[in-house]
Amino acid sequence: MRPFEWRPVGEYDPKRLAEARNQLLSATQWLARVERSYAAPNGEVSLRWLDERNVISTHDLGSELGLELSVDDLKMQFTEAGAPSDHEIDVEERSPAHVEAWLLIELLHRGVDRERFSKDLPYDSVGLLNGDGVEFSPAEYERELRALDALMRNAAQAIRAAAPGEQGDALRVSPRDLRVQAAADGRVLGFSPGDDMIPEPFFFVAAAGEPNGAASPLAVLRASEIQESDAADRVTAFLRSGGQPTTH
């Protein structure tokens, strides 16, 4: 019996998926900057995956204020007491500089001290969209962003199925690489949409306690190795077993 219903991912071009991932990662940095400025000024920058709306979100920024990002279309909006606000931004044909201006205006409208906002990040963001000379284009990567959205939703369910009760109210999302992960029994169970070492999406088990959550995987299950007919069972078994061989 399947622990959950695997969301179909569909076919995608690996090169275009990498380009879409860069768009998503670039948009996520604005959540990371807000998180570091208001929720964790002296600590590690970490975001959350919220199951109820399947979005990447900051922690509480104060007065039950948050900022969230939809993976499939890169739309961004503030939340108040957990409820989405009416003033979202569609980043289509918007530059990072435009997103920054929107953020500052929205912070001002909510009475948040804009002087505390900083674009500094505790990791290298070279290669991501920046400034006023480039624009986001989620419509051009609609299929690939939907694939990433499906994979991240599946990953969240698989992690919860593999380690029920271990993650609290939300899974962690690392803004430096978009890993969705949770600690369980001395290990980190997670999913990556791809990185410099392994370009394609993959599930992983890693050692816990590494700085910035950037531990090298101890075991990897690539998305290309999974058949969607038994994906839910296989991924959950892989994560639950700590990456050890399992019988299917």
Side-chain angles (χ1 to χ4, degrees):
M1 182 177 180
R2 294 182 180 181
F4 61 90
E5 189 68 26
W6 184 266
R7 190 179 183 88
V9 176
E11 296 184 359
Y12 53 81
D13 176 79
K15 181 178 179 181
R16 287 183 57 83
L17 189 78
E19 294 168 352
R21 184 178 69 230
N22 193 60
Q23 294 247 337
L24 174 59
L25 187 57
S26 297
T28 302
Q29 301 316 301
W30 294 105
L31 274 69
R33 290 172 174 124
V34 170
E35 172 81 13
R36 192 179 193 217
S37 297
Y38 299 102
N42 300 311
E44 182 182 341
V45 180
S46 178
L47 302 173
R48 303 184 297 163
W49 177 266
L50 300 185
D51 292 322
E52 59 267 28
R53 289 193 301 283
N54 296 296
V55 295
I56 300 171
S57 171
T58 64
H59 292 84
D60 184 8
L61 304 174
S63 302
E64 296 187 283
L65 182 68
L67 179 64
E68 65 181 31
L69 173 70
S70 299
V71 174
D72 59 349
D73 57 14
L74 304 187
K75 290 182 179 178
M76 198 180 306
Q77 62 189 333
F78 279 90
T79 58
E80 298 168 345
S85 69
D86 294 330
H87 302 100
E88 68 179 16
I89 181 172
D90 183 346
V91 301
E92 179 68 31
E93 297 186 348
R94 308 283 193 183
S95 70
H98 189 116
V99 176
E100 180 181 0
W102 173 82
L103 275 176
L104 293 175
I105 290 173
E106 290 297 310
L107 291 171
L108 177 64
H109 286 171
R110 288 167 173 78
V112 179
D113 183 4
R114 296 199 314 179
E115 296 300 318
R116 291 174 55 191
F117 177 75
S118 171
K119 293 196 294 182
D120 292 339
L121 292 168
Y123 50 82
D124 186 4
S125 59
V126 173
L128 300 181
L129 277 65
N130 191 29
D132 202 25
V134 293
E135 295 179 342
F136 288 99
S137 52
E140 181 177 347
Y141 298 100
E142 181 178 4
R143 175 181 295 182
E144 292 78 20
L145 287 171
R146 285 182 177 177
L148 288 172
D149 179 61
L151 284 165
M152 294 179 82
R153 293 187 191 207
N154 291 335
Q157 292 187 83
I159 293 168
R160 290 199 182 282
E166 293 286 345
Q167 306 89 15
D169 65 345
L171 302 181
R172 175 183 174 185
V173 179
S174 170
R176 70 165 59 219
D177 53 20
L178 294 177
R179 286 186 175 188
V180 181
Q181 56 195 32
D185 297 326
R187 298 287 179 88
V188 174
L189 312 182
F191 165 79
S192 168
D195 56 29
D196 292 339
M197 296 296 295
I198 305 176
E200 71 172 287
F202 62 92
F203 297 86
F204 68 89
V205 177
E210 294 293 329
N212 301 317
S216 297
L218 302 172
V220 166
L221 177 61
R222 299 170 189 260
S224 61
E225 300 172 342
I226 303 168
Q227 297 292 326
E228 291 198 345
S229 59
D230 66 348
D233 286 328
R234 186 173 181 194
V235 172
T236 302
F238 167 81
L239 295 172
R240 184 179 289 143
S241 68
Q244 298 301 312
T246 57
T247 300
H248 304 290

